[in-house]
Amino acid sequence: MLSQVKGLSRHFTEETLRAYLAERSVRRDDGCLIVRGYGSQRGGYQKVAGRAWAHITAYVVFVGGYDPDLKVHHLCGVPDCIEPTHLRQVTHADSCRNRTQQPQCRNGHEREIDPTSGRYRKVCRECNNEAQKRWRARQSAEVAAARAAYGRQAD
């Protein structure tokens, strides 16, 4: 069963892998079992025990019946959760169907609904306008600096 997990170190057995995941994880108040994998990124999918994804490894050792053709999906929506009751296997189509779009962008602006698709726009107009203003300010500063440098050289 463990041989089906891509990137998993070969020296692990199911018992040692259970202990390894248990010592690297912390229980949160909402019931999620958060694993601390390689690197400092919190909130993303974590790799442990070689180069294997922690949620797939947890599904194999805690739940069992792993099918490598299916995806391991988090019912809680927390990508670094390895709680066995929060994991299930679904097809790729079901995984895509269950995705939800956030009504706000990462900067807290309300996102508009695209009239052609009926879904939220991928790009926030306010964030895009602010980014364009920053770009124009950088460009004008570079042009001013170049003009000033050119003027000094001509004297």
Side-chain angles (χ1 to χ4, degrees):
M1 178 77 69
L2 292 179
S3 62
Q4 294 177 333
V5 179
K6 291 182 182 176
L8 185 64
S9 295
R10 293 190 178 133
H11 72 276
F12 281 105
T13 64
E14 286 197 29
E15 294 79 29
T16 59
L17 196 52
R18 273 191 204 99
Y20 177 79
L21 289 173
E23 82 179 29
R24 294 184 73 88
S25 58
V26 175
R27 173 82 55 192
R28 283 195 333 196
D29 294 337
D30 60 359
C32 287
L33 190 61
I34 305 299
V35 67
R36 180 180 43 83
Y38 301 132
S40 60
Q41 182 183 12
R42 163 67 180 88
Y45 292 100
Q46 299 290 313
K47 288 194 171 188
V48 295
R51 294 182 330 223
W53 294 109
H55 63 289
I56 295 173
T57 307
Y59 187 86
V60 169
V61 297
F62 293 128
V63 178
Y66 174 70
D67 182 3
D69 296 330
L70 298 175
K71 307 270 184 201
V72 176
H73 178 73
H74 295 88
L75 296 173
C76 58
V78 180
D80 52 355
C81 175
I82 61 167
E83 171 61 36
T85 59
H86 295 183
L87 302 174
R88 67 180 173 131
Q89 281 202 289
V90 296
T91 63
H92 179 70
D94 287 337
S95 179
C96 292
R97 203 173 296 123
N98 291 335
R99 291 185 190 148
T100 59
Q101 288 185 308
Q102 300 297 323
Q104 295 179 338
C105 75
R106 64 181 171 187
N107 294 322
H109 303 128
E110 293 294 323
R111 293 173 59 197
E112 298 176 6
I113 294 181
D114 186 9
T116 58
S117 65
R119 296 175 59 92
Y120 288 115
R121 293 175 54 94
K122 289 184 178 181
V123 178
C124 172
R125 286 184 190 249
E126 291 181 52
C127 292
N128 190 26
N129 287 339
E130 292 170 9
Q132 286 182 3
K133 286 178 187 174
R134 288 191 305 269
W135 181 82
R136 286 188 194 109
R138 276 195 317 270
Q139 290 298 102
S140 66
E142 287 178 16
V143 168
R147 285 183 179 159
Y150 181 75
R152 277 190 233 124
Q153 292 173 352
D155 290 337

